[in-house]
Amino acid sequence: METKKVEIKGSGDIVTARQAGREMARELGFGSADQTRLATAISELTRNVTQYAGMGFCTIVDNSDKNTIKIKATVEDTGPGIPDIDRALEQGYTTGGGLGAGLPGTKRLVQEFDIDSVPGQTVVTIVLSRRKI
Amino acid sequence: MKIPVLRLKDILLTSIQVDLTDEDALEFQDDVLKAVERTEASGVLIDITSLDVVDSFLARVLNETAVMVRLLGAEAVISGMQPDVALTLVEMGRELIGVATAINLDHGMEKLQELISKRGGG
């Protein structure tokens, strides 16, 4: 099972993480639209780390099984946490001066999306999956 | 990473061919605006054929760059967005792109000339 881990400290690491995601998606046989979805989703989540937490990690894992190709990306940080997750998932809601499209947009790009956030520990997990043909 | 801004008669031509960091994107925005001011260009064509990721941040920077260019009195067109990028942006939220676009550099140049002549003609 392949795993890639990227330390997220600055905006160059966002690029590294999303490229790593795209590369794994391509290797596993995801189509180009899915490669772009995953790369974009990772870009959004890792930007939240640089913007709100300063540093964190992005771990990308091949979770494929017999019937499904599946990539799980986990983005975690030790920042202040997301005080109101429901609001953070509303389109257009932002505390960071952006468009408020990051989290709700990311959720729509992937098959599974999960946020676990308390002060000092935020973990966002996304899964992109397709049935094997 | 510096993105070259080329002058072609009264048009500025740029092509983003590398995966931009956030700082690169903001520097690009600044460079474009300064170039418009310096050259008194009538329009800016931004080609993104090579970009395989446009996330919400870059979409915002591109949008805002186009709005700022218009505020300066010039026109802006973005050309060559990859289909997968368009698909991803729309899935994320339709408000992300509001700028004039064209399918490739050729059409982008036509569209830009059109916008410029419309503005010029009042």
Side-chain angles (χ1 to χ4, degrees), chain A residues 11-12 15 18-19 22 32-33 36-37 39-40 43-44 47 91 97 99 105 108-109, chain B residues 19-23 52-57 60 84-85 87-88 91-93 95-96:
Chain A
S11 76
V15 175
R18 71 189 179 210
Q19 287 175 347
R22 175 184 290 277
S32 66
T36 302
R37 287 188 182 102
T40 307
S43 195
E44 299 291 342
R47 174 165 305 97
Q91 189 80 12
L99 285 174
R108 286 197 288 267
L109 295 178
Chain B
D19 206 345
L20 299 179
T21 66
D22 296 359
E23 284 85 12
D52 59 11
V53 174
V54 176
D55 62 10
S56 65
F57 178 84
R60 176 161 64 109
D84 292 333
V85 170
L87 183 145
T88 302
E91 283 180 351
M92 288 215 305
E95 66 277 21
L96 289 174

Side-chain angles (χ1 to χ4, degrees), chain B residues 1-6 13-17 20-35 44-48 51 58 61-62 65-66 69 77-78:
Chain B
M1 181 62 67
K2 197 91 173 160
I3 311 295
V5 181
L6 308 175
L13 190 57
T14 72
S15 174
I16 304 174
Q17 303 199 349
L20 299 179
T21 66
D22 296 359
E23 284 85 12
D24 292 337
L26 292 172
E27 189 186 337
F28 169 72
Q29 177 176 74
D30 197 47
D31 287 348
V32 166
L33 294 177
K34 286 193 174 124
V44 183
L45 186 57
I46 301 171
D47 188 72
I48 59 168
L51 282 188
L58 186 54
V61 170
L62 290 173
T65 304
V69 165
V77 172
I78 290 179

Side-chain angles (χ1 to χ4, degrees), chain A residues 67-96:
Chain A
N67 301 316
T68 327
I69 48 172
K70 195 184 273 194
I71 290 185
K72 182 165 98 173
T74 307
V75 178
E76 54 196 309
D77 65 62
T78 52
I82 304 169
D84 188 339
I85 292 175
D86 288 341
R87 289 209 75 185
L89 285 171
E90 281 173 23
Q91 189 80 12
Y93 178 76
T94 178
T95 59

